[in-house]
Amino acid sequence: METTCLSPDEEGFARAAAILRAGGLVAFPTETVYGLGADARQDHAVARIFEAKDRPRFNPLIVHVGSIETAQAYVEWNDFADVLARAFWPGPLTLVLPLKPDAGLSSLVTADLASLAVRLPAHPVAQGLLEAFDGPVAAPSANPSGKISPTEAGHVLAGLSGRIEAVLDGGACAVGVESTIVGLVGAPVLLRPGGLPLEALEAALGQPLRLHGADDPLSAPGQMQSHYAPGGLVRLNATERREGEVLLGFGAVEADLNLSVAGDLTEAAANLFHHLHALDAQGAGVIAVSPIPDHGLGRAINDRLRRAAAPRD
């Protein structure tokens, strides 16, 4: 199979939508990372996502929609969802809510769970595709499972060329880490830190969020212990570069690549996967990473780095 690179224009959106209707796979940019999209209502199409990524079937997917009203057609909406969606959608926030029994989505999307992860992306190319397709798009990150997430079309092609039909090239993703996931099946819980800081969510809700524990069951994407991993090993909280290592820096340190010389967490999040891809392409055997403050977007950066450094299966 040859993977086609499509332009983010009316013709490109029309071709991408036709591929999705036919049960094909299209990678597309969101403000967070590139997603690998399929029609969420077609079992065979959704199964192809798992096949292309070599993704475990027990790992649920996020469904991308074009409006709050569309999301409400698939999940049991509640007051918490209303507050968060109206404050942060479109944007880097995924909500997990009870699945409506007549939603009409493939059971592969939810990994047979009774809940659905749903998101309204802000990227104009994602919105253009959703408008042209006029349906729910299931889309995890567009990379082989467990590897570094893609923030450019070239990253998608490097990992999935020949396995998917097309990529909509929308340039580099601005946020650079996946969406924040909040569970709303009961009291609000942070299931995955991401591009929307915890502090902003708690301010909007007027209450703290419970944090997902390491021993809690898998209930959303991005919760597997080993994930987002380059080919080499990753050493965290490095204050120096040891022999044979490359250093991914943060702040005013001498490094092979620096997430943000100024110590800006927004800039660091945008650069994280791009820099990991670059160091991986150099064949780095060990990537040492400077300490990252664990607040705001730093919480999402540290989450991804811990998973990248986790023991591999």
Side-chain angles (χ1 to χ4, degrees), residues 39-44 46-47 99 104-112:
D39 185 341
R41 300 162 296 195
Q42 296 188 41
D43 284 332
H44 178 70
V46 176
L99 178 70
L105 302 180
S106 169
S107 61
L108 294 172
V109 169
T110 61
D112 289 323

Side-chain angles (χ1 to χ4, degrees), residues 224-303:
M224 296 180 68
Q225 182 179 5
S226 179
H227 207 29
Y228 315 110
L233 301 177
V234 176
R235 183 171 70 88
L236 304 180
N237 297 314
T239 56
E240 80 289 332
R241 184 198 289 108
R242 296 173 183 170
E243 185 176 354
E245 294 182 336
V246 297
L247 180 63
L248 180 58
F250 178 80
V253 297
E254 183 180 338
D256 296 270
L257 285 176
N258 200 309
L259 293 169
S260 174
V261 175
D264 184 304
L265 290 171
T266 300
E267 181 184 18
N271 284 332
L272 177 62
F273 290 138
H274 180 272
H275 284 5
L276 285 174
H277 274 288
L279 294 174
D280 201 34
Q282 296 174 16
V286 180
I287 300 173
V289 186
S290 292
I292 309 293
D294 201 37
H295 60 78
L297 286 177
R299 186 176 285 106
I301 296 170
N302 283 320
D303 172 79

Side-chain angles (χ1 to χ4, degrees), residues 77-101:
W77 205 247
N78 59 39
D79 290 343
F80 290 127
D82 209 56
V83 169
L84 293 178
R86 297 191 185 283
F88 302 115
W89 275 5
L93 173 65
T94 294
L95 301 178
V96 176
L97 290 149
L99 178 70
K100 285 187 173 179

